[in-house]
Amino acid sequence: NKHPKFSMEKVEGAIYAWIDVEKCFDENIRDSKEFCEYVLEKANIAIVPGSAFGTYGEGYVRIALLGDNLEDSMRKIMELF
């Protein structure tokens, strides 16, 4: 599914994807850490802020591509925004 505020890039051979969430930032969600905290609080989905991987990761979050619930998790995240 596409969303105007997200772009997702799967890393070849990896079990995770990077999601550009910078367009979701506003006065309440100012960085990737706050984005992850918001998603955890509202949708009960744990994702990793890109800032955990260094300054170049800011503006992105990382989500695991494992399990049957990936599509459901992404749908719930998109519905928040």
Side-chain angles (χ1 to χ4, degrees), residues 6-71:
F6 299 103
S7 68
M8 188 164 110
E9 184 177 326
K10 183 179 182 292
V11 178
E12 188 66 36
I15 59 169
Y16 60 87
W18 285 102
I19 304 171
D20 182 347
V21 297
E22 205 162 16
K23 291 179 183 174
C24 297
F25 295 172
D26 59 21
E27 65 277 354
N28 297 313
I29 300 173
R30 297 168 295 188
D31 59 29
S32 60
K33 183 176 183 235
E34 289 182 0
F35 180 92
C36 291
E37 291 169 350
Y38 180 81
V39 169
L40 181 61
E41 178 185 327
K42 299 292 185 186
N44 201 33
I45 298 169
I47 51 180
V48 181
S51 59
F53 301 94
T55 56
Y56 291 110
E58 183 51 62
Y60 294 85
V61 296
R62 191 169 118 167
I63 187 166
L65 299 175
L66 301 174
D68 297 330
N69 295 325
L70 177 62
E71 284 186 33

